[in-house]
Amino acid sequence: MSGVNEIRSAFLDYFAKNGHQVVESGPLVPRNDPTLMFTNAGMNQFKNVFTGLEKRDYQRAATAQKVVRAGGKHNDLDNVGYTARHHTFFEMLGNFSFGDYFKDRAIELAWNLITKEYGLPKDKLLVTVYSEDEDAAGLWRKIAGLSDDKIIRIPTSDNFWTMGDTGPCGPCSEIFFDHGDKIWGGPPGSAEEDGDRFIEIWNLVFMQYEQTPEARLDLPRPSIDTGMGLERVAAVLQGVHDNYDIDLFKALIAASENATGVKAEGAAQASHRVIADHLRSTSFLIADGVLPSNEGRGYVLRRIMRRGMRHAHLLGARDPLMFKLVPALLREMGQAYPELLRAEALITETLKLEETRFRKTLERGLGLLDTATEGLGEGGELDGETAFKLYDTYGFPLDLTQDALRARGVSVDTAGFDAAMQRQKAEARAAWSGSGEAATETVWFALKERLGATEFLGYDTEVAEGVI
Ligand code: ATP
Ligand code: MG
Ligand code: MG
Ligand code: MG
């Protein structure tokens, strides 16, 4: 059995051996890309290399990239604790060709890594291709010897990658591992594809076109971008189905069990998983310079932290908990990511402070929530006024309230929440206009509104809503 650290090294060594430059992970807060909230894929740091704006002295690269998917285009926050395969923070292993090798070599490199170096059994593997990409289907048949029933053609945008409305784009091909019929789920493209039986481990993107406002042109030198989830491939290699059962998560969950005295069984299991996941995203974000606040990236961090804290409360913790788990995280990941070691004091203090503050209102807010939802069962709805009061007075981000009610099948009237928020904004504005400095106020509000809009350009509207 290989641990996460060995699997990561084996990936990078393999691509180095095959002529790739090993490049360090980019930071979670992307440099020079205001359209992106957090780095969400390995290719982000190479975006300008793919478009040709920037040149590097290598044409092949490999990385283990830190990624957060908790807002914007990819938001897996609501999946954590509910699926076997999603985290808010994870490591994406990737190899890249900037106009160098293309589809055939990319497929060959990927196939050899997983079947030879990692030794995965071929009969458990299947792939998807974009329905119009006959090249890819033919290459999988030839290089991997896969039969046609293991090469699934997908006609949707799931298998056609684009950078934006214009720019490089192309079909992609995903490699799936079948964890067996004891687990619910169907193959990609089927009605049960969201189940956890067939798990996508690697996505190969073939950038072969350039989309202009007028037409889709063939790129003279097509490129390759790939992403494989380290935790997902680790689960396969360690013979477990669930990402949360790999060595790294077992260690974090054990620390959480120790600190709470509650075993990760039954209903407590999901809480321990959420805590372990959120500990990682929180710590890595802080190490990369994000601090909890009421807007933008800082608010996403705060939402993640507070969700984790509610789960700690569910486990019976009445004192700050998450900061106590930092040493376990550093033991597991500090060597690969020394920025965590450097930021240890900041991570610990930030968690402790936020936990201490939120604890003051968490318990009372949960009390209000209980009263307001008494008698509501499956299909019930919490009114928007109460959800807003929880947000405004008790510091409950909307998604925390939703998460708290989800297990009971109760939803939140989000339109009512928005309306309450708008009303409060309007009242604040009206109160201001009484102070006799109309010109300054107008400028202030105009600025605030404009800056708010700029700040959230391209982000999740949910995030934007969270800001007053
Ligand atoms: P899924 O369909 O399972 O949500 P995806 O298609 O959104 O995955 P990609 O955007 O293709 O994922 O990312 C590349 C790889 O990163 C995936 O093949 C998977 O191994 C991994 N990955 C994606 N999202 C997550 C996540 N939230 N947690 C852990 N690994 C992930
Ligand atoms: Mg996804
Ligand atoms: Mg997918
Ligand atoms: Mg994918």
Side-chain angles (χ1 to χ4, degrees):
M1 184 193 83
S2 335
V4 161
N5 288 318
E6 291 103 76
I7 299 169
R8 183 195 304 107
S9 305
F11 179 93
L12 296 173
D13 291 348
Y14 171 82
F15 280 103
K17 205 171 64 198
N18 283 287
H20 292 65
Q21 171 80 41
V22 174
V23 177
E24 259 197 53
S25 172
L28 282 170
V29 176
R31 298 188 182 104
N32 309 326
D33 192 349
T35 63
L36 194 60
M37 173 165 264
F38 298 124
T39 297
N40 62 17
M43 62 78 61
N44 295 159
Q45 69 165 320
F46 301 116
K47 191 171 156 182
N48 291 340
V49 186
F50 282 119
T51 57
L53 278 174
E54 195 187 323
K55 283 262 169 293
R56 301 270 168 107
D57 51 13
Y58 45 82
Q59 286 188 304
R60 304 166 169 207
T63 59
Q65 174 66 51
K66 303 180 280 187
V67 158
V68 166
R69 291 191 170 183
K73 179 172 156 198
H74 292 285
N75 186 355
D76 288 330
L77 192 51
D78 288 333
N79 287 326
V80 174
Y82 297 94
T83 72
R85 68 185 198 281
H86 288 109
H87 308 296
T88 54
F89 169 92
F90 65 98
E91 288 178 75
M92 198 186 281
L93 304 171
N95 59 293
F96 308 91
S97 152
F98 310 116
D100 188 50
Y101 62 82
F102 196 46
K103 226 176 269 188
D104 49 350
R105 185 71 181 134
I107 289 177
E108 190 182 17
L109 282 167
W111 189 253
N112 285 345
L113 174 69
I114 56 177
T115 58
K116 296 197 179 130
E117 301 277 327
Y118 286 162
L120 299 189
K122 184 179 150 182
D123 61 333
K124 300 269 182 65
L125 296 167
L126 59 159
V127 301
T128 61
V129 295
Y130 185 52
S131 51
E132 290 165 32
D133 192 1
E134 275 315 312
D135 285 356
L139 288 166
W140 281 115
R141 230 178 283 124
K142 192 174 113 203
I143 294 167
L146 289 175
S147 53
D148 278 334
D149 59 318
K150 296 289 181 71
I151 304 172
I152 301 170
R153 290 169 163 75
I154 305 278
T156 64
S157 60
D158 269 1
N159 280 66
F160 194 89
W161 180 88
T162 56
M163 192 181 273
D165 291 340
T166 56
C169 58
C172 53
S173 188
E174 299 184 322
I175 304 174
F176 283 75
F177 185 84
D178 179 1
H179 281 270
D181 59 13
K182 288 197 188 64
I183 294 144
W184 183 82
S190 72
E192 292 89 34
E193 71 173 340
D194 283 340
D196 273 333
R197 173 176 167 181
F198 294 86
I199 290 194
E200 177 190 329
I201 53 173
W202 203 346
N203 191 354
L204 315 181
V205 180
F206 311 127
M207 288 185 206
Q208 64 189 87
Y209 307 113
E210 164 89 15
Q211 183 70 48
T212 70
E214 295 79 33
R216 186 176 286 170
L217 312 171
D218 282 333
L219 278 173
R221 295 175 62 208
S223 290
I224 292 292
D225 153 31
T226 84
M228 170 157 68
L230 172 59
E231 299 78 359
R232 291 190 191 182
V233 75
V236 174
L237 289 174
Q238 295 179 15
V240 296
H241 162 247
D242 202 301
N243 279 18
Y244 291 89
D245 289 329
I246 65 175
D247 58 331
L248 163 63
F249 274 101
K250 277 213 292 244
L252 299 181
I253 289 171
S256 172
E257 288 180 321
N258 266 340
T260 54
V262 180
K263 280 250 154 281
E265 292 162 354
Q269 190 189 55
S271 290
H272 280 295
R273 290 178 170 192
V274 171
I275 290 168
D277 173 87
H278 291 8
L279 172 73
R280 291 212 307 165
S281 42
T282 299
S283 304
F284 273 94
L285 284 171
I286 296 171
D288 276 356
V290 183
L291 288 174
S293 79
N294 281 336
E295 46 186 36
R297 297 186 171 106
Y299 191 58
V300 178
L301 171 61
R302 175 162 278 165
R303 283 163 55 204
I304 301 173
M305 290 172 113
R306 292 191 172 183
R307 273 172 93 116
M309 290 163 196
R310 189 186 71 86
H311 282 279
H313 187 86
L314 277 183
L315 294 177
R318 292 298 172 264
D319 292 315
L321 169 85
M322 287 178 68
F323 85 96
K324 292 186 191 147
L325 310 180
V326 174
L329 178 66
L330 299 191
R331 268 196 305 278
E332 296 302 314
M333 301 193 73
Q335 206 181 341
Y337 295 99
E339 63 268 41
L340 281 181
L341 304 176
R342 288 195 293 271
E344 178 175 3
L346 182 65
I347 297 168
T348 307
E349 286 313 308
T350 308
L351 271 166
K352 202 168 163 185
L353 185 66
E354 184 77 9
E355 288 193 277
T356 308
R357 273 194 196 146
F358 189 43
R359 181 139 308 284
K360 296 206 178 96
T361 55
L362 175 63
E363 203 155 335
R364 281 191 293 135
L366 288 173
L368 170 65
L369 188 59
D370 276 348
T371 320
T373 56
E374 219 173 79
L376 285 184
E378 188 82 32
E381 191 180 63
L382 172 72
D383 64 284
E385 282 297 329
T386 308
F388 181 69
K389 184 168 183 194
L390 285 168
Y391 165 84
D392 196 40
T393 313
Y394 298 90
F396 280 35
L398 178 60
D399 65 284
L400 183 150
T401 304
Q402 289 168 319
D403 188 45
L405 297 174
R406 181 165 159 179
R408 286 164 50 194
V410 175
S411 60
V412 179
D413 171 13
T414 51
F417 176 89
D418 289 344
M421 168 96 75
Q422 291 310 326
R423 204 183 47 243
Q424 201 213 45
K425 277 187 189 169
E427 279 166 16
R429 203 173 303 206
W432 264 79
S433 58
S435 69
E437 289 168 40
T440 330
E441 287 148 30
T442 314
V443 170
W444 190 85
F445 277 110
L447 255 182
K448 184 158 168 82
E449 238 138 59
R450 215 186 59 226
L451 288 177
T454 312
E455 176 101 6
F456 296 111
L457 193 71
Y459 298 172
D460 202 347
T461 49
E462 202 187 314
V463 179
E465 303 306 16
V467 178
I468 306 178

